[in-house]
Amino acid sequence: MATTTPEIVLPPLALKAAGDSESQREVNLAKVVRSPGFPTLVLLLADTVGKWADRVILDFTAHHVGVKQQVDGIWVDLPPMDRPTGDFMLATLKQLCNLDFRERETRQESTFTGQLDAFKYKFHVRCQPVPTGERVQIRVDLPRPQPAQLVEMGMREKAYERVKQMLKQGKGLLVSAALPGDGASMSWKGVRAAGDRFTADFVTFEQKGAVEDEVINVGSVVYDSLDVFDDRFRELLLKEPDTVFFSQVRSPEIMRRIVDKGLSSNRLMVVQIDARSAMEAVFRLQILGMTRDEIQKHLVGVVAHKTLRRLCIKCREAFEPDPSVLAKLGIQPGRVRQFYKQFDPAAYTTLDKKGNPIPPPTCPTCGGTGFFARVGLFEVLENDATLKSILQSQKKFSEATQMWRAAGNPTFREEGLAMLALGITSIEELQRVLKS
Ligand SMILES: [Zn+2]
C-alpha cells in the first residue's frame, strides 16, 4: 500500500538570503528552499510576523528546542521542537544568513529579509553557544511605525506641556523612570525626542556595551569604564551642551558623579533609572546616594512610564461590566456603559461530526493574539510644594504616594482606568500592568 505524506501548504513568505555577492545570495537561497529545515523555518517566521512578534528565542538543550516569541513586550512559549527538527531548521536559518551552519561553538550574527503579502521584514539573527547547547535570537524589524514622541506613546497633552516646561528649565535633574522591559527604552526615546525638540544642544553619555543601536547619534559620547568616566565627562562639559542624557543609571558611583560634576555645571542632566512609579523614583534617588536636600535642590521632575497592550480593535469584544466589578475599580455606576475584552477563540470553537474542534478564523489584524501595539501610561511628578513637604517630613513611601495623589496628581491607576473606559485595554491587562 502506497503511503502519502500530507502536503504542507507554506505561507507565501518570500525570503532573500544574505551573501557577499548576488550570485552567492542566489546560491544560498537555492540551497535554503531545498533543505529539510525549510518548511519549519517558514512556518515559524510567518507565524511570528503574523502575530506582530518582534523577537523569537530558540533554546537548544540536550533533548529539545524551546521556542518563545515576544509580542508587544510579552513572552509567549510555543510548543518545543525535537532536536532533529530544530537542528535542521537552524542549519537552514544559518544558510539563509550566509553563516557557517556547521559552526556551533562561536557566536555568529547576520541578517536577512523577507516579504509576506504587502509587508517587508528585516530579520536580525544572533547565534551563541551556551552550556546547554545554543541560543538563537531572531529580532524582527516590524513594518509598523514606532512612536517616537511622548504624545504618540499615549501621554496626554497637558502632561506633555509639563514635561516641555521641565526640559526648558535648562538645569537640574530630570528623571525618566520605568522598569527594564516595560517600555523603558520606548519612554527613554520619547524623553530624548522631547529634549531634542526643546533644548538646543544635547548629548547622550553612556557606558560602552550599554548603548542600544538606536541611541547612537551625532551627540553621543561613550566611555569604556568608570576609570575614564571623569575625563570623558569633563571633556564633554567643556563643550557646554545644554542637556546630557545618561541611560540606565544603576550605581551610586555614577549618580554621585552626575550630582557633583554635572549638576554643579548648571546644565540639565537627564537620567534613566529603574522604578515602578514616579514616587518610587524619588526614593530610588536616595538609594542611589542623593540626600533629601540634594533632591529638593536639584530635582526638576520625574516622568514615569508603563506600557499597556492595546486591544485589537478588529476582534475585541464589548461587554457590560458587572456593578461589583465597577465598584472594585472605583468607577461610579453609570459612568462606563461597556468595557472590552480580548477575543476568546474557545467561545467560538465548534466541533465537526467526529468531535474535532474547528477553531474560528484567525484575526488578520492581530494574528489571533487579541492585542495590537501598545500604549503608554505616564506619571509626571514635579518638584513642587507637595514634594518638598514630603521630603521634609520624611514620609514613608506609601504615605508619600498618598499625599502626592491627594494633591491632584494622576497615578498609573487613574490613567489606566481612563484607558479602560475608552475601550483601549482590558481589565486583565490593566491589572497585569498595575501589579508589575
Ligand atoms: Zn484581532
Side-chain angles (χ1 to χ4, degrees), residues 182-255:
D182 184 17
S185 62
M186 183 160 100
S187 60
W188 184 233
K189 196 162 121 186
V191 171
R192 274 184 302 119
D196 195 12
R197 284 187 158 191
F198 305 111
T199 68
D201 177 21
F202 79 96
V203 186
T204 58
F205 191 69
E206 16 219 349
Q207 185 155 15
K208 195 175 178 179
V211 186
E212 293 175 44
D213 306 346
E214 56 181 298
V215 179
I216 297 170
N217 56 33
V218 183
S220 169
V221 174
V222 178
Y223 60 93
D224 292 327
S225 67
L226 205 54
D227 301 339
V228 293
F229 185 102
D230 295 327
D231 292 343
R232 293 286 99 77
F233 196 26
R234 197 180 316 113
E235 288 161 19
L236 170 62
L237 290 174
L238 284 174
K239 293 181 190 152
E240 306 198 334
D242 291 329
T243 309
V244 186
F245 288 81
F246 300 83
S247 69
Q248 297 167 10
V249 175
R250 292 183 175 134
S251 75
E253 291 79 18
I254 300 272
M255 197 67 226

Side-chain angles (χ1 to χ4, degrees), residues 158-189:
K158 227 171 135 186
Y160 188 53
E161 285 303 316
R162 293 165 69 198
V163 175
K164 265 176 13 187
Q165 289 310 319
M166 292 180 189
L167 284 159
K168 280 182 185 164
Q169 292 199 13
K171 61 176 185 179
L173 180 72
L174 182 63
V175 176
S176 170
L179 285 185
D182 184 17
S185 62
M186 183 160 100
S187 60
W188 184 233
K189 196 162 121 186

Side-chain angles (χ1 to χ4, degrees), residues 312-316 343 363-372:
C312 170
I313 52 167
K314 199 94 179 171
C315 64
R316 67 180 179 180
F343 179 74
C363 170
T365 302
C366 66
T369 61
F371 292 97
F372 188 76

Side-chain angles (χ1 to χ4, degrees), residues 220-395:
S220 169
V221 174
V222 178
Y223 60 93
D224 292 327
S225 67
L226 205 54
D227 301 339
V228 293
F229 185 102
D230 295 327
D231 292 343
R232 293 286 99 77
F233 196 26
R234 197 180 316 113
E235 288 161 19
L236 170 62
L237 290 174
L238 284 174
K239 293 181 190 152
E240 306 198 334
D242 291 329
T243 309
V244 186
F245 288 81
F246 300 83
S247 69
Q248 297 167 10
V249 175
R250 292 183 175 134
S251 75
E253 291 79 18
I254 300 272
M255 197 67 226
R256 182 45 48 201
R257 286 166 162 86
I258 296 169
V259 173
D260 290 347
K261 304 273 164 36
L263 293 174
S264 63
S265 72
N266 267 338
R267 303 184 193 286
L268 185 66
M269 302 289 129
V270 187
V271 299
Q272 183 194 29
I273 65 173
D274 304 332
R276 284 183 181 81
S277 68
M279 190 54 75
E280 193 180 285
V282 174
F283 282 71
R284 179 74 51 189
L285 289 176
Q286 297 174 54
I287 294 170
L288 287 168
M290 280 184 83
T291 64
R292 279 189 296 274
D293 286 343
E294 284 171 336
I295 295 172
Q296 274 193 62
K297 186 176 167 201
H298 297 294
L299 185 70
V300 176
V302 180
V303 180
H305 178 252
K306 281 184 185 294
T307 47
L308 269 179
R309 289 180 295 165
R310 273 177 189 269
L311 283 169
C312 170
I313 52 167
K314 199 94 179 171
C315 64
R316 67 180 179 180
E317 294 183 275
F319 70 100
E320 210 175 308
D322 195 77
S324 66
V325 172
L326 288 180
K328 221 172 158 187
L329 293 168
I331 298 175
Q332 285 172 4
R335 285 289 296 274
V336 182
R337 276 268 212 34
Q338 58 182 16
F339 281 154
Y340 287 87
K341 61 180 179 184
Q342 191 183 355
F343 179 74
D344 176 16
Y348 295 88
T349 299
T350 51
L351 298 178
D352 68 10
K353 283 175 192 163
K354 289 180 184 163
N356 299 317
I358 311 172
T362 302
C363 170
T365 302
C366 66
T369 61
F371 292 97
F372 188 76
R374 286 184 281 180
V375 64
L377 296 180
F378 293 92
E379 286 180 352
V380 179
L381 176 145
E382 285 174 74
N383 188 356
D384 55 9
T386 308
L387 187 74
K388 286 192 166 65
S389 117
I390 287 169
L391 288 168
Q392 275 160 11
S393 56
Q394 304 190 22
K395 292 282 181 219

